[in-house]
Amino acid sequence: MTAIMGIVNVTPDSFSDGGRYLDADAAVAHGFALRAAGADLLDVGGESTRPGSQRVDPAEEQRRVLPVVGALAGAGLAVSVDTMNAATAVAAVEAGAVLVNDVSGGLADPEMLAAVADTRADIALGHWRGHSDDMYARASYGDVVRDVVGELSARVRAAEAAGIPPARIIVDPGFGFGKRGAQNWELLRGLARVATLGPRLLVGTSRKRFLAEALSGAGEVDEARRDLATAVTSVLAAHAGAWAVRVHDVASTRDALRIATYRGE
């Protein structure tokens, strides 16, 4: 079954849960709760990538994430680090992370790919066209699926050229990153084409704006409704061949994936 990556935001400004888990102890407890709910992997991030967010100094990012990564990994849990900074990636791997989740696909920090190549960690390469403060200015596509596949292919080639074997590379089409509402839906419909890039496809639609926009004609779109929409799109991603889905609410997605694959045994 498609794996579930649980989100642990150690930030004051993430769009849906900023500040809830800024304290390291709270973040660690949240990580354990996500694991108990069925998460296969915990993605720890110290820098928000919500639209309009500002960059965080790598030293501050590391102050936030390293104690959490170390505590969770030290307890035997599989941990990834959500970062665009090579120095943070290396420090997190040294603290026990097994995966570097770079939403910029190695573009934000030119040292990232070589740094990860020197570790044993895997890397998730996200489709990205610029930082959060102006990413929608670059949301222009001829064919969004074709363009994403082409641009991600270039990032895969760059990772391989830097010395990262294909078996350690994961691709992420970057839902919401430099993509407006309808473009995300077109990309979701074309996920099977993105999945042809490699053996592992990571999909993250959790609580994103395009889900709320689709539901906005039927009353207030609170967190619970976004989580239900996330579970549905996670099932669609699984059917398209996703290796893993990245979500805030693990339990609802776990149940949705289980029902979608249940055969009455």
Side-chain angles (χ1 to χ4, degrees):
M1 190 169 74
T2 299
I4 299 176
M5 176 185 283
I7 299 170
V8 182
N9 283 324
V10 195
T11 60
D13 56 347
S14 291
F15 76 95
S16 73
D17 59 0
R20 292 188 196 176
Y21 312 112
L22 185 58
D23 175 76
D25 289 340
V28 171
H30 183 54
F32 282 123
L34 292 176
R35 179 67 186 92
D40 301 287
L41 183 67
L42 300 171
D43 194 38
V44 180
E47 178 178 1
S48 173
T49 52
R50 65 176 175 79
S53 62
Q54 300 299 309
R55 297 302 312 275
V56 173
D57 183 81
E60 172 61 18
E61 181 187 33
Q62 291 167 41
R63 186 193 68 78
R64 295 174 182 177
V65 303
L66 294 183
V68 180
V69 170
L72 295 172
L77 280 62
V79 179
S80 64
V81 61
D82 179 3
T83 183
M84 293 183 284
N85 293 306
T88 301
V90 171
V93 172
E94 290 174 349
V98 297
L99 166 64
V100 175
N101 181 17
D102 182 355
V103 299
S104 81
L107 289 170
D109 186 338
E111 304 298 323
M112 177 64 86
L113 298 180
V116 174
D118 288 338
T119 73
R120 293 184 177 181
D122 295 345
I123 187 166
L125 303 169
H127 177 263
W128 186 83
R129 285 188 167 183
H131 289 290
S132 298
D133 57 354
D134 69 344
M135 62 180 173
Y136 290 128
R138 298 177 172 88
S140 177
Y141 300 88
D143 177 322
V144 67
V145 179
R146 181 199 63 204
D147 293 350
V148 167
V149 168
E151 290 167 33
L152 271 180
S153 295
R155 301 318 303 153
V156 170
R157 291 194 297 271
E160 292 175 349
I164 304 175
R168 287 170 51 194
I169 298 173
I170 299 158
V171 294
D172 178 349
F175 282 94
F177 288 94
K179 301 168 190 72
R180 299 190 183 277
Q183 294 165 339
N184 291 290
W185 292 109
E186 186 177 348
L187 186 58
L188 187 64
R189 289 190 293 271
L191 269 184
R193 288 165 60 190
V194 185
T196 63
L197 287 173
R200 287 186 290 173
L201 170 68
L202 173 64
V203 173
T205 62
S206 190
R207 297 180 182 171
K208 293 202 170 177
R209 179 183 296 175
F210 76 99
L211 300 180
E213 288 173 349
L215 297 171
S216 60
E220 181 183 355
V221 184
D222 58 14
E223 192 172 280
R225 294 186 69 198
R226 288 192 187 217
D227 286 335
L228 178 58
T230 299
V232 173
T233 52
S234 294
V235 168
L236 295 174
H239 281 309
W243 160 75
V245 290
R246 181 180 182 273
V247 301
H248 295 85
D249 179 24
V250 168
S252 63
T253 292
R254 175 204 63 202
D255 289 348
L257 290 173
R258 184 171 297 169
I259 291 298
T261 58
Y262 189 65
R263 295 297 179 266
E265 295 87 349

